[in-house]
Amino acid sequence: MSVKEVLELWERLDRVGHSYVAPIETEEQYDAALGLLERIWGEVHENANSPYDALFRILVDHISAYEAEYLPIPDASPGEMVEFMMDQQGVTQRDVERATGIHQGNLSQIIRGKRNLTTQQIKALAEYFRVTPAVFL
């Protein structure tokens, strides 16, 4: 594909979906981005080769930036973040264990604040939940 073709496609995309790919500046844009993210979540989560993966990542980045600026969340412990992510995605400790290799007993101790996450566990959890590793620091 030539640069000219890419630019032409980008212009069409910008006319149709500007509010989805531009940084979020309003609550209306935030709500729209969340709605689109929810709509494509299932496919992207189930299919690593989804054609929506890049859009998903853009939305996550923009939503995260908006939330950090306008909807700050108090600091949470790594264990609280693991528990929150599990609740949000409706998964169990066993599900996380199967996907990440982190033993369920260790997950339980991490959630209760009895054990710290290792660098390898942070990477595995970030990949599984599709978030930046900083979420668990």
Side-chain angles (χ1 to χ4, degrees):
M1 181 175 279
S2 72
V3 171
K4 181 182 179 195
E5 290 171 313
V6 170
L7 293 175
E8 288 171 355
L9 284 171
W10 185 260
E11 286 177 21
R12 287 197 325 229
L13 173 62
D14 189 60
R15 282 192 300 273
V16 175
H18 178 80
S19 64
Y20 294 110
V21 294
I24 299 170
E25 297 174 344
T26 67
E27 191 171 341
E28 181 179 274
Q29 289 174 312
Y30 174 72
D31 290 340
L34 283 176
L36 182 56
L37 184 73
E38 288 174 11
R39 182 155 185 191
I40 64 175
W41 166 252
E43 171 151 349
V44 173
H45 184 64
E46 300 284 326
N47 178 5
N49 297 317
S50 169
Y52 304 124
D53 187 60
L55 176 58
F56 179 84
R57 291 172 189 269
I58 289 169
L59 289 169
V60 167
D61 288 346
H62 290 324
I63 289 168
S64 296
Y66 180 86
E67 289 175 344
E69 172 115 10
Y70 299 103
L71 306 170
I73 298 172
D75 288 339
S77 72
E80 289 170 327
M81 288 308 300
V82 171
E83 186 173 37
F84 173 77
M85 297 296 237
M86 289 172 50
D87 288 344
Q88 289 295 301
Q89 294 188 21
V91 296
T92 66
Q93 290 180 17
R94 291 281 182 213
D95 295 330
V96 176
E97 176 184 35
R98 281 190 286 275
T100 65
I102 302 170
H103 188 274
Q104 184 271 329
N106 290 341
L107 283 168
S108 181
Q109 289 183 337
I110 290 164
I111 289 169
R112 291 191 324 237
K114 304 288 185 190
R115 179 180 215 124
N116 292 325
L117 286 165
T118 66
T119 303
Q120 186 174 354
Q121 290 169 332
I122 290 171
K123 288 178 184 178
L125 288 167
E127 185 176 311
Y128 175 69
F129 288 116
R130 298 187 134 213
V131 296
T132 176
V135 166
F136 301 107
L137 297 177

